[in-house]
Amino acid sequence: MSASKTIKTLSRLLCAALLLGPAIANADYELNLMPGVTEISQMQYDLHMLVLWLVTVVGILVFGVMIYSIIKHRKSKGAQAAQFHESTTVEVIWTIIPFAILVAIAVPATKGLLEMEDTSKYDMSIKVTGIQWKWEYDYIDEDGVKFISQLDEASENARKLGSGVDVTTVENYLLDVDNPIVVPSNKRVRLLITAADVIHAWWVPDLGVKRDAIPGFINESWFYAEKEGTYRGQCAELCGKDHGFMPIVVKVVSQADYDAWVANQKAAASASAAEDTKTFGMDELMARGKGVYDKSCAACHGPTGAGVPGVFPAMAGSKITTGDIAAHIDIVVNGKPGTAMAAYRSQLSKADLAAVITYERNAFGNKTGDVVQPTDIK
Amino acid sequence: MSDHHHPTGIKRWLFTTNHKDIGTLYLWFSFIMLLIGGSMAMVIRAELFEPGMQVVEPNFFNMMTTMHGLIMVFGAIMPAFVGFANWLVPMMVGAPDMALPRMNNWSFWILPFAGTMLLMPMFMGGDFLQGQGPAFGWTFYEPLSGQYNKLGFFIFAVHLLGFSSIMGSINIIATILNMRAPGMTLMKMPLFVWTWLITAFLLIAVMPVLAGAVTMMLTDKYFGTSFFDAAGGGDPVLFQHVFWFFGHPEVYIMILPAFGIVSQIIPTFARKPLFGYASMVYATAAIAFLSFIVWAHHMFTVGMPVAGELYFMYATVMIAVPTAVKVFNWAATMWKGSMTFETPMLWAIAFVFLFTIGGFTGLMLGVAPADFQYHDTYFVVAHFHYVLVTGALFALIGGVYYWLPKWTGNMYSEKLGKLHFWLSTISVNVLFFPQHFIGLEGMPRRIPDYNPMFADWNMISSIGGFVFGASQLIFLYTVIKCIRGGEKATDQVWEGAEGLEWTIPSPAPYHTFETAPEVK
């Protein structure tokens, strides 16, 4: 849209001239909303620009009058105070004008909102579940395509206090995940959004979607992306300690690539199901358990199992990790309601659950010697 | 005037029933809270100075944003306005004191305890640096807040703050309605008195709603109820509806008295009566009414029915009409005036410009489809800091400079006042204007770390923040210097000042209007 491009250029120049002339030389100083890649995000952008221009014009007029009086009507220039006040005509006029402007805004806004909230048509559906601090995606039309998506390892390591990593060298720092969500282009994708613990919000600016993920509720939203590409977003609702570290990555690909990806996912799922009845050795479980722990548990309970005193319980020497095995399995599998401890039943495979519980019972100085097998997880 | 016996030293302040003493207590309390809340903002801006985590742990950062918001709203801005009301309402309506002086004492003295209880969990047990105080945002949304294991402190602190506000409001309403001097009809009252009368009704209406919200949190957390817990048949979104039914009027509670202060200052230094006194009163009442029926515009993304979203969008943008009337009125009051630019006037003019910018972004946020992009980003942070810092706080500071000579009997240093003004006004824009850009670019609020693409404006914003924070120490110095001495103020103080408070000596005697003045 060339008109909006001109507007964008103009508004940048205006902002630059008005505010921070010298700073603008660096191209990184982004100023405005992006039009995004869907009709909805374009509509949001157009409304944004419409209102921005209207208030800019009103602002120039009102501030102009004030600046003029500040310069001209000052005592030091010998200005005598007029004593006029109260004028019904003037007051009626300046009540009606803002009202008319509001009507002009309300018409396109109503049209846009109705279009945006129409979730009646869709080609495919993905259930999105916000979990402290990751996303679970369940392709409900494709059996077995269900996975957890969380901050990628490079960002995860770099973002620690005192990590010593220069984060500007990390590609897509804090905006990359281990398992991105993949969708075909030119399809109307319906999102069914909910949460497992607290309220999160699924937001990808380029797709024009932001919707709260609320435990116990299923919210609907949708997008239709024509352009293939990778679109990034973040959780937008404060959801606890690592709210800033649960990004969203959406890959829009061709139908053929999408089909191949789905086939791959299904193969991986059946491989993982086969493990549910397998018996593992202690060393195998410990090695696998450490990987699962570092990824899923360490955020709260700490990489050394020390927890955070007063906030998150320690693993080292705790009653649960050194006590009754059944109770330990129960808290990991079913979580602890009313706390940040999530139910991992749906997040981890039985093999992963068995591995991480075995690990917790035998690491951090816990020497129970217990081995938990996938078949122990009910 | 008879020589009245009253205790001295600490007892004077503990047992005082004098509206001027209590006003002073409120103002000092809120200034201390401003410094505490401001220090927390400095921690936030230090962590956000550069991408990467350098200063604090994520939970500590969340605790800072949470406590900063709570302290500024409930500890700094609201009590400061009550302080102004205590000092000025009796003097402006020609009353000897507040209508209920003993309750007045109590409504102040609850505050230090409530503030302490709010801050206490930060230092209790566990590791301070891991952030064990409230870290769920100043809006304390359920179910996140329900995960917090010292929630009781927070809930009782909010209850106490609510008691204090309700008692203060009852007192203000009783004083205004019953204790006006003969001839002081409602439509002759100074605009500051009018805005506070309306604000007091808002407070009485919504503080019990807040109390209801935190009481439901309390029983959910400790007594097994499920008001907000979906697993027990409750509704987490109900919390947001209840909270914002309180929260939206709350933001007007913090701005209406600011409108009042600015409406006193501008006519004085323009030497011209307020352009439309009656329409200003009606506009204030209209804004107050609308504030009750727009709450869900804070919740466009929760998944309301589309009809609800349309209604809340229409009702919200309507607020622009009475707000525009106010801004036009201030501009028309300056028009063809004979203006001088003493420090209070500078703050008032900056208020009109910068509050209007906050109003503009408020209108943008009210347009629902676009709000889906702005919601919970730095654009919102920029918006509400324009209305609360360059709005409410600027009006408060302007008001302090305006009435300080009346309170202390001494003129403050114009030189220092202007230095404070220019440093603050420039730095506050360097601080908050770039946050519009960061938000539009896509940075969510309440995150301790960010992608380097947001780095440039964040650094500029932080620099503005440090300068703005430091500038407030000039304010402290200027006020203390003025209390200690200076050029003696006249009774009238300002050439263009009108109103009963300017007819009494400077400093205002301990007891004023023991015999009611005649208002013609």
Side-chain angles (χ1 to χ4, degrees), chain A residues 133-148:
Chain A
W133 294 278
K134 55 205 147 196
W135 297 95
E136 183 193 71
Y137 298 106
D138 185 356
Y139 286 60
I140 53 185
D141 314 307
E142 306 285 353
D143 230 14
V145 181
K146 181 179 168 186
F147 55 90
I148 298 274

Side-chain angles (χ1 to χ4, degrees), chain A residues 83-335:
Chain A
Q83 290 301 313
F84 67 84
H85 61 99
E86 311 274 346
S87 158
T88 314
T89 325
V90 173
E91 298 194 41
V92 168
I93 292 170
W94 73 30
T95 308
I96 288 174
I97 291 174
F99 190 81
I101 293 174
L102 294 181
V103 174
I105 295 171
V107 172
T110 304
K111 196 172 148 280
L113 194 65
L114 290 174
E115 188 188 351
M116 213 174 111
E117 296 289 17
D118 178 9
T119 48
S120 58
K121 296 183 294 278
Y122 50 91
D123 300 313
M124 60 180 283
S125 303
I126 302 172
K127 185 175 165 224
V128 179
T129 309
I131 303 168
Q132 285 173 319
W133 294 278
K134 55 205 147 196
W135 297 95
E136 183 193 71
Y137 298 106
D138 185 356
Y139 286 60
I140 53 185
D141 314 307
E142 306 285 353
D143 230 14
V145 181
K146 181 179 168 186
F147 55 90
I148 298 274
S149 174
Q150 66 189 81
L151 188 65
D152 73 316
E153 222 178 310
S155 296
E156 178 62 25
N157 293 334
R159 65 117 171 156
K160 297 275 160 56
L161 188 60
S163 69
V165 180
D166 174 7
V167 299
T168 55
T169 62
V170 179
E171 208 186 342
N172 294 315
Y173 177 60
L174 299 183
L175 293 178
D176 218 349
V177 295
D178 52 358
N179 300 309
I181 132 173
V182 178
V183 296
S185 56
N186 298 308
K187 282 274 152 52
R188 202 162 149 131
V189 180
R190 181 174 67 151
L191 301 168
L192 300 168
I193 303 171
T194 185
D197 34 46
V198 301
I199 299 176
H200 306 264
W202 198 88
W203 178 35
V204 178
D206 281 338
L207 302 178
V209 177
K210 182 185 285 148
R211 187 65 62 161
D212 289 4
I214 303 171
F217 285 72
I218 294 178
N219 269 331
E220 283 180 279
S221 193
W222 64 276
F223 63 88
Y224 181 97
E226 289 172 30
K227 215 171 118 200
E228 291 175 24
T230 304
Y231 305 109
R232 297 171 196 280
Q234 285 177 272
C235 178
E237 180 66 60
L238 179 65
C239 56
K241 180 169 79 79
D242 287 345
H243 161 58
F245 308 103
M246 50 183 291
I248 296 152
V249 179
V250 179
K251 280 193 169 158
V252 177
V253 298
S254 68
Q255 184 66 42
D257 287 352
Y258 173 72
D259 293 338
W261 178 81
V262 168
N264 244 331
Q265 291 288 312
K266 286 184 174 173
S270 50
S272 146
E275 286 182 343
D276 285 356
T277 50
K278 206 177 145 190
T279 302
F280 293 88
M282 174 86 167
D283 293 345
E284 236 179 320
L285 287 169
M286 284 299 281
R288 183 172 182 156
K290 184 175 184 336
V292 177
Y293 182 88
D294 288 346
K295 201 165 169 183
S296 299
C297 314
C300 296
H301 297 295
T304 59
V308 175
V311 187
F312 299 116
M315 293 279 100
S318 96
K319 276 186 195 151
I320 289 171
T321 53
T322 57
D324 182 32
I325 300 185
H328 188 181
I329 294 175
D330 179 62
I331 198 168
V332 176
V333 172
N334 298 316

